[in-house]
Amino acid sequence: MLNDQVLVNDWHVVARAEELQEGRTMPVRLLEEDLVLWRVGGKICAWQDLCVHRGTRLSLGKVENGTLACAYHGWVYNEDGQCIRYPAHPSQQPSERARARVYQAREKYGWIWVCLGEATRDIPHFPQWEDASYRKVHCGPYTYKASAPRAIENFLDITHFPFVHQSYLGDPTHAEVNDYQVTTDEDGITASNITVWQPDPDGSGQGALVSYTYRVYRPLTAGFVKSSAGPHFAMFFTITPVAPNLSHAWAYVAMDYSNLTESEIQEFQNLITMQDVPIVESQRPELLPLDLQAELHLRSDRTAIAYRKWLGQLGLSFGTA
């Protein structure tokens, strides 16, 4: 088992809930651990993808009558992970040791979240989820061949807009960023009223200065909301740490305006993310350095500096150097 207790004891998205069908198994991977997901009634089961008999993947097995049977020798497990039948010895009571490793799983925001350890906090709060005035559009997942903290730091970085997202989110001739404030407390990080010039922030065709407030809720979950006047726009963004240099990003766009279709919104977010992915994948060192002396920083990097300091204080090691 991975020895990063910060992430082991946190919640991580591993799948969209609608993709896990009754009567089917779904293999996923989290923190270098292979998992199998399956449903029984209203319950989501998340187990180590391993039959304790001969190590076969349980995701190859068959779901039937509220049980999961291994594809190799047919060992049958109930929803609690206990083996209840050895087909080769039908009269023998299975041992208490014949039990799959079971993890906590919950469904929220249309995603399946898994915790591999003892959850120290609840699933992160998505502020706009229950606000009916916001339209919520799911985007992703997006794969980064990069560390999860690198991907989160890219999400938090607004000074790359004029260059990576030129003509969409920024303009190189208007690259200046204001002197914003960042605070860190027990609930995470808040970067308030970061102002950036954007070529067409509201669809009017006119460029303007726009302010955003960013929040980091967990080491690998963040979001922002447009804090300047006008239509409201927000994002909720979380990363699945698959391996130290492999991550999946999941997102919701939330807005109280726009006549765009859901697919048009998704296509735009796909475009923006695909501009980010090669940048993040190219970064060296591949793991995010927590030593602030390892790279150079500017005043406009305050959010990234606070993020790295916070990760160091938490003791996070997976995906960092």
Side-chain angles (χ1 to χ4, degrees):
M1 172 67 70
L2 177 74
N3 193 33
D4 187 320
Q5 294 306 302
V6 178
L7 296 184
V8 166
N9 294 324
D10 205 353
W11 292 97
H12 307 278
V13 174
V14 293
R16 290 196 76 181
E18 65 182 27
E19 294 176 351
L20 182 61
Q21 301 174 13
E22 190 90 28
R24 304 288 297 274
T25 63
M26 178 186 289
V28 296
R29 191 165 170 80
L30 171 64
L31 292 167
E32 301 187 298
E33 179 82 84
D34 290 314
L35 309 177
V36 56
L37 306 179
W38 61 289
R39 288 186 184 273
V40 51
K43 178 181 178 181
I44 296 174
C45 300
W47 299 354
Q48 185 180 42
D49 195 3
L50 184 86
C51 178
V52 295
H53 180 214
R54 288 294 182 265
T56 304
R57 289 184 182 273
L58 287 171
S59 56
L60 299 175
K62 183 178 181 181
V63 177
E64 192 172 56
N65 298 322
T67 64
L68 176 56
C70 178
Y72 196 8
H73 298 99
W75 282 29
V76 180
Y77 296 84
N78 65 19
E79 64 184 81
D80 298 320
Q82 176 63 48
C83 180
I84 57 173
R85 186 170 186 268
Y86 303 142
H89 306 279
S91 62
Q92 181 178 338
Q93 178 69 29
S95 164
E96 283 292 323
R97 294 179 57 208
R99 176 181 291 274
R101 178 175 287 177
V102 176
Y103 300 116
Q104 298 177 74
R106 288 177 57 191
E107 183 176 335
K108 196 166 188 178
Y109 313 136
W111 292 328
I112 296 173
W113 300 73
V114 170
C115 176
L116 297 183
E118 297 297 326
T120 54
R121 304 186 71 176
D122 199 358
I123 290 170
H125 179 55
F126 177 9
Q128 290 76 32
W129 182 255
E130 295 176 354
D131 188 336
S133 67
Y134 280 89
R135 177 186 181 192
K136 275 76 71 175
V137 177
H138 182 270
C139 300
Y142 306 106
T143 297
Y144 292 74
K145 294 178 182 177
S147 83
R150 280 286 195 192
I152 286 289
E153 189 176 86
N154 167 258
F155 175 79
L156 300 173
D157 184 298
I158 205 167
T159 59
H160 75 281
F161 285 6
F163 307 100
V164 178
H165 308 304
Q166 182 177 346
S167 80
Y168 294 103
L169 301 181
D171 180 344
T173 63
H174 298 278
E176 184 177 356
V177 175
N178 66 314
D179 190 12
Y180 62 91
Q181 297 300 313
V182 178
T183 58
T184 303
D185 56 30
E186 61 181 9
D187 294 322
I189 299 169
T190 302
S192 303
N193 296 317
I194 309 174
T195 302
V196 62
W197 174 272
Q198 295 193 305
D200 187 12
D202 57 9
S204 67
Q206 300 296 315
L209 290 170
V210 182
S211 295
Y212 294 91
T213 292
Y214 279 75
R215 287 289 316 276
V216 185
Y217 304 104
R218 295 292 169 73
L220 302 181
T221 302
F224 70 73
V225 62
K226 180 182 173 186
S227 50
S228 49
H232 296 99
F233 180 88
M235 276 194 73
F236 186 73
F237 185 82
T238 190
I239 297 284
T240 304
V242 180
N245 59 354
L246 180 63
S247 310
H248 298 314
W250 311 76
Y252 273 102
V253 170
M255 58 182 72
D256 65 357
Y257 67 98
S258 178
N259 295 319
L260 296 175
T261 65
E262 182 172 292
S263 17
E264 287 173 330
I265 295 168
Q266 290 169 333
E267 285 171 10
F268 181 78
Q269 192 57 44
N270 294 347
L271 182 152
I272 295 300
T273 304
M274 289 305 103
Q275 290 177 333
D276 281 326
V277 166
I279 296 293
V280 176
E281 293 182 343
S282 76
Q283 289 182 279
R284 297 296 182 273
E286 294 178 345
L287 305 183
L288 184 73
L290 300 187
D291 179 359
L292 296 181
Q293 300 302 313
E295 294 180 335
L296 300 179
H297 308 280
L298 299 173
R299 172 170 48 83
S300 53
D301 297 318
R302 278 181 178 155
T303 310
I305 294 169
Y307 179 59
R308 295 185 186 196
K309 285 182 176 179
W310 186 55
L311 295 186
Q313 291 165 359
L314 293 175
L316 186 140
S317 59
F318 191 86
T320 65

